[in-house]
Amino acid sequence: MRRARTGSRREPTIALINIVFLMLVFFMVAGTLAQPMDKDLNLVRTADLEGRPPPDALVIRADGTLSYLGVELTSSAAYMLPRNDVANPEVRLVPDRDLPADQLVRIARELRALGAGRVMIVTERGLE
């Protein structure tokens, strides 16, 4: 009489992987991930746009000097002075690329302390 083997039964993991893979393929084919764009649509090209700050932005140069509408300001308080009639005005900052980060943070904190509701930093976005 032979003795039955007491080997370990392996779980059918390959079958489980196949089922999951088939489900993935099914949902990719059946569902639409994103609506396709209209074939007649031509997107706007921004490669040739002239880079200039928004008209209401406070420009901070690399040496930390501030300017608004081409006029040099002595402090961030001089920028906030005409905005005292608006509660929590939004402030847009356009910092120079070479401006140290600690100076940018310091100026943003000064503007918040002077009553700015939201301080936004305007940056260049590279899409190439």
Side-chain angles (χ1 to χ4, degrees):
M1 184 172 238
R2 284 184 150 174
R3 215 168 126 157
R5 283 191 166 175
T6 59
S8 65
R9 288 190 69 207
R10 300 179 90 186
E11 292 187 25
T13 56
I14 297 295
L16 182 63
I17 291 172
N18 287 340
I19 291 171
V20 170
F21 179 71
L22 288 173
M23 288 175 59
L24 175 68
V25 170
F26 171 76
F27 285 114
M28 285 177 61
V29 171
T32 302
L33 298 178
Q35 291 291 335
M37 286 196 315
D38 189 7
K39 293 180 182 178
D40 298 329
L41 180 68
N42 292 322
L43 296 177
V44 176
R45 292 184 50 94
T46 60
D48 300 328
L49 287 179
E50 183 181 329
R52 73 177 98 145
D56 61 342
L58 177 64
V59 178
I60 309 171
R61 295 189 192 99
D63 60 356
T65 57
L66 307 172
S67 68
Y68 177 66
L69 298 174
V71 178
E72 191 166 323
L73 300 176
T74 56
S75 67
S76 52
Y79 176 76
M80 289 299 292
L81 190 60
R83 287 160 187 72
N84 286 340
D85 57 345
V86 178
N88 300 327
E90 288 185 350
V91 175
R92 288 180 176 81
L93 297 178
V94 180
D96 188 277
R97 181 184 312 245
D98 298 326
L99 179 73
D102 60 340
Q103 286 186 6
L104 178 62
V105 170
R106 180 184 53 79
I107 292 170
R109 284 185 180 157
E110 286 175 6
L111 291 167
R112 291 285 298 185
L114 291 168
R118 191 169 152 190
V119 177
M120 294 178 285
I121 299 172
V122 180
T123 61
E124 179 181 68
R125 181 177 179 183
L127 296 177
E128 299 168 25

